[in-house]
Amino acid sequence: LELKRMSVSREHRGRGLARALCREVLAFARARGYGAVVLSTSMVQVAAQRLYEGQGFRRVGTSYPSLLGTLLNFQIFHYRCELGDGN
Protein backbone atom coordinates (compact mmCIF):
# COMPACT_ATOMS: atom_id res chain seq x y z
CA LEU A 1 0.00 0.00 0.00
CA GLU A 2 1.36 3.46 -0.82
CA LEU A 3 0.67 6.40 1.47
CA LYS A 4 0.62 9.58 -0.61
CA ARG A 5 0.39 13.23 0.36
CA MET A 6 -0.68 12.96 3.98
CA SER A 7 -0.96 16.43 5.44
CA VAL A 8 -2.50 18.16 8.44
CA SER A 9 -3.41 21.83 8.10
CA ARG A 10 -1.20 24.22 10.02
CA GLU A 11 -3.86 25.27 12.49
CA HIS A 12 -4.36 21.63 13.58
CA ARG A 13 -0.72 20.56 13.85
CA GLY A 14 0.85 19.59 17.14
CA ARG A 15 -2.21 17.67 18.34
CA GLY A 16 -1.12 14.17 17.34
CA LEU A 17 -3.43 14.02 14.30
CA ALA A 18 -0.69 12.99 11.85
CA ARG A 19 0.44 10.24 14.22
CA ALA A 20 -3.17 9.02 14.57
CA LEU A 21 -3.70 9.12 10.79
CA CYS A 22 -0.50 7.16 10.24
CA ARG A 23 -1.54 4.52 12.78
CA GLU A 24 -4.92 4.26 11.05
CA VAL A 25 -3.28 3.74 7.65
CA LEU A 26 -1.08 0.99 9.08
CA ALA A 27 -4.08 -0.70 10.74
CA PHE A 28 -6.11 -0.41 7.51
CA ALA A 29 -3.30 -1.99 5.48
CA ARG A 30 -2.68 -4.74 8.03
CA ALA A 31 -6.40 -5.63 8.22
CA ARG A 32 -6.53 -6.00 4.45
CA GLY A 33 -3.50 -8.24 4.21
CA TYR A 34 -0.92 -5.83 2.84
CA GLY A 35 2.63 -6.80 3.64
CA ALA A 36 4.03 -3.28 3.80
CA VAL A 37 3.25 0.41 3.49
CA VAL A 38 5.58 2.59 1.41
CA LEU A 39 5.87 6.35 1.06
CA SER A 40 8.21 9.10 -0.07
CA THR A 41 9.02 12.46 1.46
CA SER A 42 11.55 15.17 0.71
CA MET A 43 14.74 15.84 2.57
CA VAL A 44 13.35 19.12 3.92
CA GLN A 45 10.36 17.45 5.59
CA VAL A 46 12.25 16.67 8.79
CA ALA A 47 9.14 16.51 10.98
CA ALA A 48 7.56 14.02 8.56
CA GLN A 49 10.71 11.89 8.62
CA ARG A 50 10.61 11.79 12.44
CA LEU A 51 6.91 10.93 12.38
CA TYR A 52 7.33 8.04 9.95
CA GLU A 53 10.44 6.67 11.66
CA GLY A 54 8.57 6.81 14.98
CA GLN A 55 5.78 4.71 13.46
CA GLY A 56 8.17 1.97 12.34
CA PHE A 57 9.06 3.10 8.83
CA ARG A 58 12.66 2.62 7.71
CA ARG A 59 14.38 4.59 4.99
CA VAL A 60 15.04 2.22 2.10
CA GLY A 61 16.42 4.56 -0.55
CA THR A 62 16.84 8.01 -1.97
CA SER A 63 16.31 9.56 -5.37
CA TYR A 64 16.33 12.92 -7.11
CA PRO A 65 13.07 14.29 -8.54
CA SER A 66 14.72 15.84 -11.61
CA LEU A 67 17.99 16.95 -13.16
CA LEU A 68 17.63 20.25 -11.32
CA GLY A 69 17.06 18.30 -8.10
CA THR A 70 20.28 16.40 -8.77
CA LEU A 71 22.20 19.63 -9.39
CA LEU A 72 20.82 21.12 -6.17
CA ASN A 73 21.29 17.83 -4.26
CA PHE A 74 17.57 17.85 -3.40
CA GLN A 75 16.73 14.31 -2.38
CA ILE A 76 13.53 12.36 -2.00
CA PHE A 77 13.65 9.76 0.77
CA HIS A 78 11.77 6.48 0.31
CA TYR A 79 10.38 4.69 3.35
CA ARG A 80 8.87 1.27 3.99
CA CYS A 81 7.05 -0.19 6.97
CA GLU A 82 6.85 -3.97 7.04
CA LEU A 83 3.53 -5.09 8.49
CA GLY A 84 4.16 -8.79 9.01
CA ASP A 85 1.22 -11.12 9.51
CA GLY A 86 -0.29 -9.18 12.43
CA ASN A 87 0.59 -11.83 15.03
Side-chain angles (χ1 to χ4, degrees), residues 30 39 43 49-50 58 72 85 87:
R30 204 174 272 117
L39 62 87
M43 62 186 285
Q49 293 167 40
R50 282 196 302 263
R58 298 294 166 244
L72 296 174
D85 61 7
N87 294 327

Side-chain angles (χ1 to χ4, degrees), residues 57-83:
F57 284 83
R58 298 294 166 244
R59 192 182 312 172
V60 295
T62 60
S63 65
Y64 296 95
S66 64
L67 178 58
L68 180 59
T70 302
L71 294 172
L72 296 174
N73 196 33
F74 183 85
Q75 296 179 327
I76 302 296
F77 297 149
H78 305 283
Y79 282 88
R80 182 178 183 93
C81 182
E82 297 292 337
L83 299 177

Side-chain angles (χ1 to χ4, degrees), residues 20-65:
L21 284 169
C22 193
R23 280 194 308 263
E24 188 64 27
V25 167
L26 294 173
F28 175 93
R30 204 174 272 117
R32 284 156 182 80
Y34 287 93
V37 176
V38 297
L39 62 87
S40 299
T41 192
S42 75
M43 62 186 285
V44 298
Q45 299 293 331
V46 177
Q49 293 167 40
R50 282 196 302 263
L51 167 72
Y52 298 133
E53 290 168 4
Q55 295 296 310
F57 284 83
R58 298 294 166 244
R59 192 182 312 172
V60 295
T62 60
S63 65
Y64 296 95

